[in-house]
Amino acid sequence: MGKIRVYELSKELGIPSKDLISQLSELGVDVKNHMSTLEDAEVEMIRDLFNISKKEVKPEEDILSKNNKQENSNNKNRTKKISNGRMREPEKKLLKKIKIPSTVSIKDFSELSGIKVNDILKYLLSIGISSNINSRIDYETAAIIGQKHGIDVELEEIQDIESLYLTEKPDTEEEMEPRPPVITVMGHVDHGKTTLLDAIRKTNVTASEAGGITQHIGAYTVELNNKKIVFIDTPGHEAFTSMRARGAQITDIVVLVVAADDGVMPQTIEAINHAKAANVPIIVAVNKIDKPNANPDRVKQELTEYGLIPEEWGGDTIFVPISALKKQGINDLLEMILLLADLLDLKANPNKSASGIIIEARLDKGMGPVTTVLVQNGTLNVGDVIISGTSYGRVRALIDDKGRRVKKATPSIPVSVLGLSEVPNVGDKFYVVADEKIAKEISDYRKDKLRQEHYNYSNRISFDQLFNQIQEGKIKDFNIVLKGDVQGSVEAIKQSLLRLSNEEVRVNIIHDGVGAISETDVMLASASNAIVIGFNVVADAKARTLAVKEKVEMRTYRIIYELLDEIDSAMKGMLAPEIKEVILGRVEVRQVFKVPGAGIVAGSYVLDGKVTRNAHVRIIRNGTIINEDKISSLKRFKDDVREVAQGYECGIGLEHFNDIKVGDIFEIYTFEEIPR
């Protein structure tokens, strides 16, 4: 037959090239333009499909009757053929039996049944379903197609392999050994939770947090009197309710931080409720006792209303007065934690395959998926194969909370794991299995279940939404594509955004994920009439270009409450004159100079757009925003200049940020006010 170009085939079929390219794209054929060359199989498929679409399609029975007539004609022809002087017997069509899962891709169904992909696509097109080779069909549709081709399609019963491989045997008393307590620090925003952990760990986490608010879960190990204590720092802002809830579920003791000068606040009550729901004992750390207006007795009085009665008042709740900033009372608090841990008699079996909880997960540009886990049972070793959700892999490295590589992690010890195939969901359980074959089998089983749930949900919800749209008339969907730097933040933001829905506008998160904003995200937003929201991530250059072309709005944020406030204001139609961020250009740091009297100067190359003096700068390292600043000086060679265009080199000095590295990307932007 020979290869043929798209425009030649379009002339032959008498249809415009763009319509043909669109049809080929739907069928999964990669076509760039009308000069692209098509393979023989692709040409045959598109000819068949357009022959059907050009004619009036008959019912399936007529198509089947035509196929049967053709089959009978072929059989008659075969009887006329002679081999070794003898007439061949007509070939008999056998009834074939196959088993398929509840949903199957057209490609897999074709391979199992022997029915040509083209024949399956023809039938689906005849009943008004446009599909491609990778589309999925349900069991009922596959059974009808199979019946028309003499094939008996049965539903495959999937064995529950999770219970087969992941059921943990109960431990005996002799196997149990003491383990460190897992402590969750909870409390209201700005009551000093992270400052307390700083005092305990003698580090400074607060300075690196945007807006001074903890926005990720961190797990840290400290040692006192040769005994380990594991701390989990949960964010205090109300948006992270779900993250705090997970903290309460995996912890042994909750340290509730309450400011002596502020008293009980909404998130304080929330934390108490989470701890009580998880049946976890509470130690109250009354912080900021060094302040002149501190009133610890008022805090005690207020907490009695929630069932937390101090020991000196006849209750059973331990209260410890502290000043995290002045490092007062820290040892008293740690001693009380160890005392309560001894009373709880915390034990686990370290001599078996590990299992535990995912407490954080992110995608690192250099290392791939990085997962923070808390081992609850057994010992996790380098080289173990673990499965969590649909993600699995062999442990390539274990990194402790101080950044050191370790060979194993025992019960209650948090470590970061490298080696998983994808970013797992925060809060999922992880298990160690015998080998990667079993892990892949479990992963495939879970993916099939998710596909089936998604298929059922998407089919059902489309009709429900259609009905609701007709009934309600006025309701609107606010579609959002959400991307963040770590899974925990994405989940928390997602839950908070969904709670913003009201009677007139419904928030619909059509996709969420971890990592930089990509072209795929923009394409999805364009197709769904959605906006793209990034939290602590940026869009790559291709995504920005596509967003401008497709007129997709993208917004990025670094502080959670700013994101929620702006979305809430937009939904209520109460936005003030819009301050719009305008991206001027992007530069790459090629060299870093230390200039006497001027400080650190970044020798840079303008990748696109332009850079202007006094503009704002977003410093991006490995796809993640690490800081924001303002340009203080801009030079070409030794001369001060107002702006530098694309393709030229320049020297950039920043007002405050000095930790500039070669390879950093500066995103240059400014603001303009747009009246609404």
Side-chain angles (χ1 to χ4, degrees), residues 222-229 331 334-335 338:
V222 298
E223 200 164 317
L224 180 73
N225 301 331
N226 296 321
K227 290 184 178 180
K228 288 183 178 178
I229 304 174
N331 281 339
L334 295 177
E335 285 172 8
L338 289 175

Side-chain angles (χ1 to χ4, degrees), residues 62-89:
D62 292 346
I63 295 171
L64 178 61
S65 173
K66 183 180 176 183
N67 289 342
N68 288 340
K69 286 177 184 176
Q70 185 64 42
E71 184 70 26
N72 292 336
S73 173
N74 291 341
N75 286 339
K76 286 177 184 177
N77 290 335
R78 290 191 194 102
T79 59
K80 294 178 183 179
K81 293 188 178 180
I82 299 175
S83 176
N84 296 328
R86 297 172 64 185
M87 185 84 69
R88 283 185 182 172
E89 290 293 322

Side-chain angles (χ1 to χ4, degrees), residues 522 541-554:
V522 177
K542 290 182 179 178
R544 285 195 182 282
T545 304
L546 185 62
V548 172
K549 180 183 174 185
E550 298 291 334
K551 295 182 172 58
V552 170
E553 184 177 2
M554 289 194 298

Side-chain angles (χ1 to χ4, degrees), residues 478 553 555 566-567 569-580 672-676:
F478 188 2
E553 184 177 2
R555 291 176 180 263
E566 189 160 323
I567 298 298
S569 297
M571 289 177 64
K572 292 176 180 176
M574 296 169 61
L575 283 175
E578 185 181 0
I579 305 298
K580 186 179 179 183
E672 63 179 38
E673 186 173 306
I674 300 173
R676 300 182 71 85

Side-chain angles (χ1 to χ4, degrees), residues 260-315:
D261 62 335
D262 206 4
V264 175
M265 300 298 283
Q267 280 80 33
T268 313
I269 301 165
E270 217 173 70
I272 294 169
N273 293 336
H274 285 313
K276 286 186 173 180
N279 198 25
V280 176
I282 297 173
I283 294 177
V284 179
V286 184
N287 193 22
K288 303 186 181 182
I289 58 168
D290 56 304
K291 288 203 169 186
N293 56 340
N295 190 349
D297 286 337
R298 190 191 72 169
V299 172
K300 292 178 183 179
Q301 182 63 48
E302 289 176 348
L303 287 176
T304 57
E305 297 175 20
Y306 303 96
L308 300 181
I309 302 170
E311 289 179 319
E312 60 266 32
W313 291 7

